[in-house]
Amino acid sequence: MSAVEPTRPPEENSRRMELIRAAASLFRDQGYERTTVRDLGNAVGMQSGSLFYHFRTKEEILVAVMALGIASTTEQLAAALAQAAAPRDKLAALFRVHLNSLLGDNQAALEVMLYEWRSVSAAAKPALVVLRDRYEALWQQVLDDAAAAGMIKQDTRLLRRTLLGSLHWTVQWYRRDGELGVDEMAERMLQLVLFE
Amino acid sequence: MSAVEPTRPPEENSRRMELIRAAASLFRDQGYERTTVRDLGNAVGMQSGSLFYHFRTKEEILVAVMALGIASTTEQLAAALAQAAAPRDKLAALFRVHLNSLLGDNQAALEVMLYEWRSVSAAAKPALVVLRDRYEALWQQVLDDAAAAGMIKQDTRLLRRTLLGSLHWTVQWYRRDGELGVDEMAERMLQLVLFE
DNA sequence: GTCTATATAGTGATAGAC
DNA sequence: GTCTATCACTATATAGAC
C-alpha cells in the first residue's frame, strides 16, 4: 500500500501518527478535557509517561490532531475542485468533501478542530488559523463564481459562514445508521441553497 | 421592575438563580470542564463548599443553566410568534429571537446548552431533550407554513436543521464590536433563505 | 446559609532504569 | 523508545462548627 499515498510525509506511518489518530477519536468521543493521558496511552498500548517522548504536552497532541483535520480536508477539497469543471460541480464538491471529512469513516480530526477550539492556547492558535483561512478561501472562491453565474444569492461572505455553520452542526444530529447517506445529504443541502 | 416579569417563579431573584446566571457566563467563557467550583464560588462571593448547599453536584448547575437557556428562549419565541401575523413576520421572528438569545447582552445560557451537551450525563438528558424538542417544534411549524405559502424550499425538516446549525455557529465568528448588529444580521440571514 | 478544613481521587508531567 | 515510579498539584465533594 506504500505506493498509494506517495506524497505523504514519512511520519504518516510512524508511531506519532498512530497516536494522533487515536487521540482524534478519543477527543471527539469524550472531549479533550475529559480524555486523560492515561486514556491516550491505553489506546495505543503504552504507558502514559511514554507519550511525552513523542509530544511535549497534551496540548501539543490536540494541535497536531487539529492540523491534520483541517489540512487533510483542504487537500481533499483542492483535489476535488481540480477535477470539477462546472460551477455546479464545484459547489457540490464543497458540500461532499466537507461532510465526508466530518461524518465519514475514521474521520474525527476535523470535528476536533471545530469543537475543541477553546482548549487551544493563544500561542498555538495563529498557525491553525492560517490553515483554516486557507480552507475557507477555497470556499469563498467557489461561492463567488457561483454567485457571478447567478446560481446562488449574492451575499457570499455571509453565505459562506452560514453554510459552513450548517455543515459543522451536522455532527450534532446526523446518525450514520439512519436512512440518509452522507453523499445524499450533501446533495440535498446543496439543493437548499441553489436558486433552481 | 417587579411588574415587568409577573409570570416568573419566585426563585428568579434567589441566590440559586444568581448562581445559575454566574455559572452560565463562566461555562460559556471557559467551558464547563475548565470552570472549577472555586471559580463559581468566587463569582458569587462564597466559598466553594457553600455551593453544595444549593446544588448537589456541579453537573446539577450545568443542567440548570441549560434548562434556563432553552426554556427562556422558547418563551420569547412563543411570545414573538403570537404577535406576528404574516408568515414573513413569523419567519423573521425565528431568526431575531434566536440570535438575540445567543448573542445579545447577558445571554450565555443558550450557548452553554448548545456547546456543553457532551458534559451532560445520560440521566439528565431526557428532560433537556423535551425542552429542546418543544423549541424546535415551534420552528418546524413556522417553516411548514412558509413553505406552504411558497416562500421557502419544501424540504423543511432538513431546512430546520441547517438553519439552526447556521444560527448556532454564529457564536464562533460573530463579533459584537463589529459593524453588523444582531437584528440586522438576523434579517440578512433570513434573506439568504427566502425565494425573493 | 455560609464558613473552615479536609477526605478522596485523579491530573499532567518528570526522572532514571532498561 | 518504553517502562516504572512518583512528584506536585488540582479537582469535586463532605463534615461539622457557627
Side-chain angles (χ1 to χ4, degrees):
Chain A
M1 286 301 220
S2 66
V4 174
E5 300 169 352
T7 61
R8 299 293 177 83
E11 74 166 355
E12 175 75 18
N13 295 316
S14 71
R15 203 75 212 268
R16 184 185 159 96
M17 183 56 67
E18 185 186 349
L19 236 158
I20 292 172
R21 296 203 179 278
S25 291
L26 285 170
F27 292 165
R28 176 195 55 187
D29 295 341
Q30 313 179 349
Y32 171 73
E33 296 287 346
R34 296 171 94 95
T35 302
T36 70
V37 291
R38 285 163 184 80
D39 291 335
L40 291 170
N42 235 316
V44 295
M46 64 169 60
Q47 295 301 309
S48 62
S50 307
L51 294 175
F52 295 91
Y53 170 81
H54 300 279
F55 298 90
R56 263 176 308 187
T57 63
K58 184 187 168 192
E59 196 212 355
E60 201 173 288
I61 305 178
L62 176 64
V63 173
V65 169
M66 291 184 168
L68 172 69
I70 186 65
S72 80
T73 305
T74 302
E75 216 176 287
Q76 290 167 52
L77 179 56
L81 290 178
Q83 287 194 323
R88 170 67 164 80
D89 295 334
K90 287 180 189 279
L91 274 179
L94 296 182
F95 287 72
R96 198 181 58 247
V97 169
H98 194 95
L99 284 184
N100 275 289
S101 185
L102 211 44
L103 308 173
D105 298 331
N106 309 317
Q107 301 293 317
L110 181 59
E111 182 170 341
V112 173
M113 165 81 184
L114 295 175
Y115 285 95
E116 299 292 345
W117 189 250
R118 192 166 36 197
S119 294
V120 180
S121 69
K125 274 179 178 163
L128 292 170
V129 167
V130 167
L131 295 178
R132 189 198 57 191
D133 288 350
R134 199 168 295 166
Y135 179 67
E136 298 199 351
L138 291 180
W139 266 75
Q140 191 64 51
Q141 186 61 57
V142 173
L143 292 179
D144 286 343
D145 291 346
M151 303 174 65
I152 58 174
K153 297 265 184 178
Q154 295 296 320
D155 194 355
T156 55
R157 293 191 68 83
L158 187 60
L159 191 57
R160 187 196 79 231
R161 285 174 156 155
T162 61
L163 290 179
L164 282 169
S166 293
L167 294 173
H168 295 159
W169 202 256
T170 57
V171 302
Q172 305 291 340
W173 57 265
Y174 180 74
R175 292 297 145 233
R176 205 193 306 216
D177 51 10
E179 320 155 354
L180 194 57
V182 173
D183 285 343
E184 188 189 349
M185 185 163 83
E187 179 61 25
R188 277 177 62 186
M189 290 184 78
L190 170 58
Q191 292 288 348
L192 289 177
V193 69
L194 286 177
F195 281 141
E196 201 56 29
Chain B
M1 287 302 215
S2 66
V4 173
E5 300 170 350
T7 61
R8 298 295 177 79
E11 77 164 352
E12 176 73 19
N13 295 317
S14 72
R15 203 75 212 268
R16 184 184 159 95
M17 183 55 66
E18 185 185 348
L19 236 159
I20 292 173
R21 295 202 180 279
S25 291
L26 285 170
F27 291 165
R28 176 195 54 186
D29 294 341
Q30 315 180 345
Y32 171 75
E33 297 287 346
R34 296 171 96 96
T35 302
T36 70
V37 292
R38 288 167 184 78
D39 293 334
L40 292 170
N42 236 316
V44 295
M46 64 168 62
Q47 295 301 308
S48 63
S50 308
L51 294 176
F52 295 91
Y53 170 81
H54 300 280
F55 297 90
R56 264 176 307 185
T57 63
K58 184 188 169 192
E59 196 213 353
E60 200 174 288
I61 305 179
L62 176 65
V63 172
V65 168
M66 291 184 169
L68 173 69
I70 186 65
S72 80
T73 306
T74 302
E75 216 176 286
Q76 291 167 50
L77 179 57
L81 291 178
Q83 287 194 322
R88 170 66 164 79
D89 296 333
K90 286 181 190 278
L91 274 179
L94 295 183
F95 286 72
R96 198 181 58 247
V97 169
H98 194 95
L99 283 185
N100 275 288
S101 185
L102 211 44
L103 307 174
D105 298 330
N106 307 316
Q107 301 293 319
L110 181 59
E111 182 171 339
V112 173
M113 166 80 185
L114 294 175
Y115 285 95
E116 298 293 343
W117 189 249
R118 193 168 37 197
S119 294
V120 179
S121 68
K125 274 179 179 162
L128 292 170
V129 167
V130 167
L131 295 177
R132 189 198 60 191
D133 288 351
R134 199 168 295 164
Y135 178 67
E136 299 200 350
L138 291 179
W139 266 75
Q140 190 63 51
Q141 185 63 55
V142 173
L143 293 179
D144 285 343
D145 291 348
M151 303 174 66
I152 58 174
K153 296 266 184 179
Q154 296 297 319
D155 194 355
T156 56
R157 293 190 68 83
L158 187 60
L159 191 56
R160 187 196 77 232
R161 285 175 157 155
T162 60
L163 290 179
L164 282 169
S166 293
L167 294 172
H168 296 159
W169 202 256
T170 57
V171 302
Q172 306 290 341
W173 56 266
Y174 180 75
R175 293 296 146 233
R176 206 192 305 215
D177 50 11
E179 322 155 353
L180 194 58
V182 174
D183 285 342
E184 189 189 349
M185 185 163 81
E187 179 61 24
R188 276 176 62 186
M189 290 184 78
L190 170 58
Q191 293 288 349
L192 289 178
V193 66
L194 286 177
F195 279 141
E196 202 56 32

